[in-house]
Amino acid sequence: MDDSDAGLEHSTVWAVFGDLMSGLLGAFVLILVGVLGVQLELVSSLEAEVQKRQAEEQRRQALEKALAVPLASGRVTLADGRIGISGSVLFALNSDQLQPEGRQVLKSLAAPLAAYLAGRDEMLMVSGFTDDRPVRDSNRQFADNWELSAQRALTVTRALIDEGVPSSSVFAAAFGPEQPVAANTDEAGRARNRRVEMAPVPRSAKADAAR
């Protein structure tokens, strides 16, 4: 092999090596870009979650402040953004007619709830719940617990509207015996499950529920 052949072979080796290095560098750059993209996505998701939690905390504090007086009475509870009222305060057993005490409670809630909802893109969802005892055993006015819970939710909704909550900012929902907060194995547990809850929800959530 003469010097010209050796030089050509040497140049070829370096060319191949250079192509290999370029390929490896390109692959490294692609991997680096991919890793950075994943990291940026994670950071963005984390920031969005933090903002969401901050917004929820601010909403909870605003609601708690608005309902300070009713909460102090002990007849209303607030947990996880849900306002709870015992069914026995609002209604007699298996009835959808408001008791005087229940009407007073709703009257105390109406003004602060209306003030809270003003200027917010939220609506108040009024939810009715029952225990698991068949309602027709003691009252044939209602077909089942679903109908009873629906009528109770409607009664509370209408009472709030009568007391000043805008009708465009409140709607009723029925859950019957679903989503109990206690076991239905004794009277104390069943009494806890007979309740009405109210919770501010985004207006879009109401629209989705209506579809």
Side-chain angles (χ1 to χ4, degrees):
M1 180 183 296
D2 57 23
D3 291 342
S4 62
D5 291 338
L8 180 60
E9 183 178 347
H10 183 73
S11 298
T12 301
V13 170
W14 276 108
V16 171
F17 181 76
D19 291 342
L20 179 61
M21 288 297 97
S22 296
L24 289 174
L25 180 60
F28 176 76
V29 170
L30 288 174
I31 293 172
L32 181 61
V33 168
V35 170
L36 289 174
V38 170
Q39 288 181 334
L40 288 173
E41 185 176 348
L42 289 174
V43 170
S44 178
S45 298
L46 181 60
E47 289 178 347
E49 181 64 24
V50 170
Q51 292 175 353
K52 179 182 176 182
R53 290 183 180 275
Q54 288 175 341
E56 289 176 349
E57 179 62 17
Q58 290 172 355
R59 185 166 66 93
R60 184 194 65 77
Q61 290 177 354
L63 189 59
E64 193 172 73
K65 182 178 179 181
L67 298 175
V69 174
L71 288 172
S73 72
R75 295 180 297 180
V76 178
T77 61
L78 179 62
D80 299 325
R82 301 171 70 88
I83 306 157
I85 308 175
S86 170
S88 61
V89 171
L90 295 172
F91 306 101
L93 185 64
N94 290 334
S95 170
D96 66 342
Q97 301 301 306
L98 275 175
Q99 301 186 117
E101 181 185 7
R103 188 170 294 280
Q104 284 300 116
V105 171
L106 295 178
K107 187 174 182 177
S108 72
L109 287 171
L113 283 173
Y116 171 85
L117 292 169
R120 293 176 179 268
D121 191 28
E122 296 178 345
M123 297 187 72
L124 186 70
M125 180 173 72
V126 179
S127 304
F129 302 84
T130 68
D131 59 28
D132 66 346
R133 288 284 181 89
V135 70
R136 291 186 66 86
D137 286 355
S138 56
N139 189 334
R140 295 189 175 275
Q141 178 183 352
F142 306 104
D144 52 28
N145 281 310
W146 288 97
E147 185 175 346
L148 174 60
S149 66
Q151 289 301 321
R152 285 182 167 181
L154 283 171
T155 297
V156 171
T157 298
R158 288 168 177 150
L160 291 173
I161 293 172
D162 289 344
E163 295 296 339
V165 176
S167 59
S168 60
S169 297
V170 60
F171 69 101
F175 291 86
E178 304 300 323
Q179 300 186 19
V181 293
N184 282 298
T185 53
D186 55 37
E187 179 51 35
R190 289 191 292 272
R192 288 185 60 195
N193 292 329
R194 297 191 295 267
R195 68 197 191 279
V196 172
E197 293 182 350
M198 292 169 275
V201 298
R203 286 184 179 273
S204 57
K206 195 268 182 181
D208 290 342
R211 289 180 185 148

